[in-house]
Amino acid sequence: MSRIEPLPMRLRAPAQGFPKGWYRVADAGEVLPDALLPVSWLNDQFIVFRAADGQAQVADAFCPHMGAHLASHDGCLRNGRIVCPFHKWEFDAAGGTLAHIPYSALPPGEVGLKMHATRELDGMVLMWYHPHGGTPEFEPFETPLSRNQDGWVLYGVKEWITTCPMRDMLENLFDGPHIVYLHNSGGAPVLKSIARTPYGMRVDYDQDPSQTDAGVTGFRSDFTGITLNAQIFEGTAFTTQFYNTFTPIDDERFVLHSRLHIKDSGSAEINEAIGKAFTDRFMFEVEQDLKVLDYKRHLVKPRLCAGDGPIHQYRKYAAEFFVD
Ligand code: FES
Ligand SMILES: [Fe+2]
């Protein structure tokens, strides 16, 4: 096997910054009451925590006073306030407003933490990001699971760090031939329809069940922008939900995080068999994809041919989320 290093991203993809959208920044279970969770995403650092009412919140990690990282040293969340480790200024955890300075009256004007719009969905904490700031332009896709949690079980969670150009990861879902020629699958699913939605896009497929390991009859794929993707698979005797999220750590790498939920079949044994079949196939395909995607260049003008799938249609959609 050849040993290659990925070229730096600036030599592999146009510099367009990170797309606007909703990004997974933590798992809900990691965000405990009265604690600050420091995270590093999008060439930046944030703190994730819960306000007194339990709502997850995301704020910039750096104190507006003199820039200390709020989760460094003994920085903490106490009695509903975030206390900076440096000069012990206190900020209200619900809205980030400056609430107390131990050695001075509050200064006039608005002082506070930079807060980011936050949502909790299917066990994940999502943060809105736009290079120019501002309020969310759309809401994340509401999955069947988020609408009704009854009867779903979480089978497993997987995570990869990849050096693939980020937009090319989703482009891969529209690349039919690679499913046969890279993954050696018996056949690629047949695209039925692509429709725009308030959160982004829904893609419906037909699948010949004899061509899949798990007897899938059809699936649909809901994109929230180009940073979240929910795939709902239907089979003769099951429904599963794969939720994939794509969050850049920096310009070179992003995290692909995938969680598989299964509609409870009523039998732990059958759930296990369904979960294992999906996870095995999914892991196999992602790992094969990354062996190629981690090193690829984003070609602005790919030399496509008949049968390559709706790559240009996807690119037109993806371009909407890159902001100048
Ligand atoms: S830097 Fe945070 S209180 Fe001074
Ligand atoms: Fe693939």
Side-chain angles (χ1 to χ4, degrees):
M1 200 172 28
S2 60
R3 289 173 59 84
I4 46 177
E5 287 295 323
L7 271 178
M9 199 57 80
R10 67 190 158 78
L11 303 176
R12 289 195 288 139
Q16 281 188 303
F18 302 121
K20 66 180 176 184
W22 289 98
Y23 289 94
R24 173 193 161 273
V25 293
D27 282 343
E30 296 176 287
V31 191
L32 305 173
D34 295 321
L36 300 177
L37 177 72
V39 295
S40 298
W41 300 114
L42 300 151
N43 277 338
D44 210 338
Q45 292 188 320
F46 305 92
I47 48 170
V48 191
F49 52 92
R50 293 192 184 280
D53 62 359
Q55 286 269 21
Q57 310 272 340
V58 182
D60 273 10
F62 303 101
C63 178
H65 177 220
M66 287 177 69
H69 191 304
L70 293 157
S72 62
H73 184 50
D74 61 357
C76 65
L77 171 52
R78 199 170 49 219
N79 301 327
R81 289 186 180 174
I82 293 166
V83 186
C84 178
F86 209 0
H87 313 92
K88 303 296 188 273
W89 286 26
E90 295 181 12
F91 302 89
D92 179 17
T97 330
L98 177 60
H100 178 68
I101 300 175
Y103 51 86
S104 168
L106 296 184
E110 282 211 357
V111 186
L113 306 181
K114 187 172 170 207
M115 306 292 286
H116 299 268
T118 308
R119 303 283 182 271
E120 227 172 301
L121 179 90
D122 294 358
M124 298 173 294
V125 178
L126 308 175
M127 171 185 98
W128 172 257
Y129 168 85
H130 187 295
H132 306 157
T135 52
E137 293 176 9
F138 51 90
E139 289 297 314
F141 166 62
E142 254 188 69
T143 61
L145 169 66
S146 66
R147 283 194 295 269
N148 181 4
Q149 317 248 326
D150 289 348
W152 288 91
V153 285
L154 176 64
Y155 179 78
V157 177
K158 304 282 173 201
E159 216 167 78
W160 291 267
I161 294 177
T162 156
T163 55
C164 168
M166 196 174 136
R167 75 195 78 186
D168 295 34
M169 177 57 85
L170 282 180
E171 187 167 294
N172 191 247
L173 297 176
F174 295 91
D175 173 355
H178 97 285
I179 296 173
V180 177
Y181 294 98
L182 175 65
H183 300 319
N184 300 316
S185 186
V190 180
L191 208 150
K192 243 180 4 188
S193 62
I194 300 181
R196 285 302 308 261
T197 59
Y199 48 84
M201 176 166 66
R202 166 167 288 187
V203 186
D204 269 289
Y205 299 86
D206 268 332
Q207 176 88 57
D208 175 352
S210 67
Q211 302 281 350
T212 68
D213 301 344
V216 178
T217 51
F219 77 92
R220 60 181 192 276
S221 187
D222 282 283
F223 295 79
T224 296
I226 56 169
T227 58
L228 307 174
N229 172 245
Q231 300 183 342
I232 318 293
F233 291 85
E234 304 278 358
T236 36
F238 62 83
T239 304
T240 62
Q241 174 182 304
F242 252 124
Y243 205 104
N244 304 309
T245 73
F246 312 88
T247 313
I249 301 169
D250 52 28
D251 294 327
E252 304 298 326
R253 304 165 298 163
F254 69 89
V255 169
L256 162 59
H257 175 98
S258 299
R259 41 183 59 222
L260 176 63
H261 279 88
I262 300 171
K263 196 91 189 163
D264 191 0
S265 67
S267 147
E269 220 170 292
I270 293 174
N271 289 350
E272 174 60 28
I274 295 168
K276 188 169 176 345
F278 269 91
T279 312
D280 285 356
R281 184 70 205 176
F282 182 75
M283 298 272 291
F284 170 76
E285 290 198 2
V286 171
E287 270 152 30
Q288 248 176 1
D289 278 330
L290 295 183
K291 284 180 189 168
V292 175
L293 297 180
D294 272 352
Y295 307 94
K296 86 184 289 292
R297 175 173 276 164
H298 175 83
L299 295 185
V300 176
K301 290 188 179 160
R303 291 295 303 267
L304 301 180
C305 68
D308 270 337
I311 302 288
H312 285 309
Q313 202 175 341
Y314 162 71
R315 286 192 171 197
K316 206 162 154 247
Y317 167 77
E320 292 177 32
F321 300 93
F322 287 94
V323 181
D324 293 331

